[in-house]
Amino acid sequence: MLKGKHIILGITGSIAAYKAAYIIRALVKKGAEVQVVITPAGKEFITPITLSALSSNPVISEFFSNRDGSWHSHVDLGLWADAMLIAPATASTIGKMANGIADNMLVTTYLSCKAPVFIAPAMDLDMFAHPTTQQNLDRLRSFGNHIIEPAEGELASHLVGKGRMEEPDKIVATLETFFDESMTLKDKKILITAGPTYEKIDPVRFIGNYSSGKMGYALAEACAARGAEVFLVSGPVSLQAKHPSIHRISIESAEEMYQCAMDVFPSVDAAILCAAVADYRPEMTSAEKIKRESTGEMTLKLVPNKDIAASLGQIKMADQILVGFALETSDEVHHATDKLKRKNLDFIVLNSLRDQGAGFRCDTNKISILDQEGTLTEYPLKSKQEVAVDIINKLVSRLK
Ligand code: CTP
């Protein structure tokens, strides 16, 4: 996918700059031509000799050559590129890019670049979490730049948290997927349900569940990153949708989620039903706060909610794909097979609460995918972001 592609690799002043050497090697191995542009601070961390030897191209850093007065054209470079990748991207460079502070060759090249831009941040956890950095990243996202989220782990400071630049093989895989026409979701519309639903008992109490929404939001980001327009119908969660192509529709109850999903579904190519929908709601909702003194012992009568997945399965058109989830505690494959059929799903993502690191509130998940043809594919324990990619790869193959 990268054969013959022209890639500008921007390197900035971070400890992770050494990983840029691995990125160049992988890109060159896959047939890409790499032109390195490095900031003055970047050269403190890795030498241009290493980078030029690996890329077989002189490294560009300054606007002018001191020796002969020749100058590098950031405009030509920007036009030459099929993609620009900034890895590692420091908080400072991210800030300059977001605000057009073009005081070095890297940022001027970025501003001249018409090709898609990928940014792999690398910094300490507090710098990454700082509202300034997050706002700058949001701004870059809103310009259509692709942010390759940093991973969690040990940082150069020996603190542990989010801020470690993503591993070189994953960064290169992101570019490969982007250029792989067969993996794209461009021009596709995807409905995703995510999070829990809250079923109201009275103005201050509800029946809910432990769903954090992390899996659904990871799916939404991954679909949007592949070029899809995403309609994210979300129950109450503390997460935010970042990609500008995600339209978040916030709901609270299963009934609201049902109405929303039914409205949106006819206009989408696929729906992924990731929400932990409450199966029951209180038959009556009290308009006033229920008082202990006057109520005494209390019995709550529950009535079933509509099954959103099954309802969409009934109205599904031949060219639409419907994906469900099954979180089970026992007899997993049997229950998943039953749900697949009952809800008319194309495939179902199964996770078992018996597997450590799977299910609610975790950052990881261990899934199996069971499709209509009866094929069961098992995946190892992965981050929810990586799981989202596996699910979307399966979706893309069905959408063709
Ligand atoms: N689902 C839904 N609407 C509901 C209940 C579930 O859309 N009212 C969807 C979930 O989002 C998931 C799939 O159906 O994709 C399976 O959900 P699950 O709760 O495991 O299935 P249920 O049919 O509710 O079965 P049970 O709770 O008895 O296991």
Side-chain angles (χ1 to χ4, degrees), residues 56-222:
S56 308
N57 271 322
V59 168
I60 298 174
S61 178
E62 318 297 336
F63 292 107
F64 305 100
S65 160
N66 285 338
R67 275 194 220 122
D68 58 9
S70 61
W71 69 295
H72 293 118
S73 166
H74 52 88
V75 178
D76 290 349
L77 201 53
L79 293 175
W80 170 84
D82 293 306
M84 181 170 185
L85 165 67
I86 297 105
T90 56
S92 166
T93 292
I94 287 167
K96 287 181 185 179
M97 288 166 69
N99 295 285
I101 301 171
D103 65 350
N104 63 35
M105 190 64 192
L106 193 154
V107 183
T108 48
T109 305
Y110 163 69
L111 291 178
S112 303
C113 188
K114 290 215 169 89
V117 176
F118 296 81
I119 301 161
M123 64 198 76
D124 213 45
L125 74 166
D126 295 318
M127 289 176 84
F128 183 72
H130 198 282
T132 305
T133 308
Q134 289 304 316
Q135 275 184 17
N136 285 333
L137 284 171
D138 283 346
R139 209 166 143 76
L140 291 173
R141 276 188 197 98
S142 75
F143 303 154
N145 298 163
H146 304 260
I147 311 298
I148 302 174
E149 287 288 317
E152 301 220 5
E154 193 179 346
L155 303 160
S157 60
H158 302 300
L159 294 172
V160 176
K162 189 168 178 176
R164 244 172 99 104
M165 187 177 82
E166 188 49 285
E167 290 305 321
D169 57 337
K170 293 200 182 132
I171 293 177
V172 173
T174 304
L175 288 181
E176 266 190 305
T177 308
F178 180 83
F179 284 113
D180 186 347
E181 282 296 319
S182 67
M183 300 300 268
T184 183
L185 284 173
K186 211 163 151 266
D187 301 327
K188 299 285 183 216
K189 291 183 180 169
I190 316 273
L191 163 68
I192 296 174
T193 66
T197 64
Y198 284 2
E199 310 300 321
K200 227 173 180 177
I201 299 170
D202 70 10
V204 294
R205 302 178 182 94
F206 60 85
I207 297 173
N209 59 64
Y210 290 126
S211 171
S212 62
K214 283 179 183 167
M215 193 64 246
Y217 276 65
L219 280 162
E221 296 292 344

Side-chain angles (χ1 to χ4, degrees), residues 273-275 277 279 306-309 324-327 339 342-343:
L273 305 171
C274 197
V277 186
D279 285 329
K306 292 182 188 113
D307 188 325
I308 302 167
F325 272 72
L327 177 62
K339 282 175 194 175
R342 191 155 43 86
K343 300 178 192 235

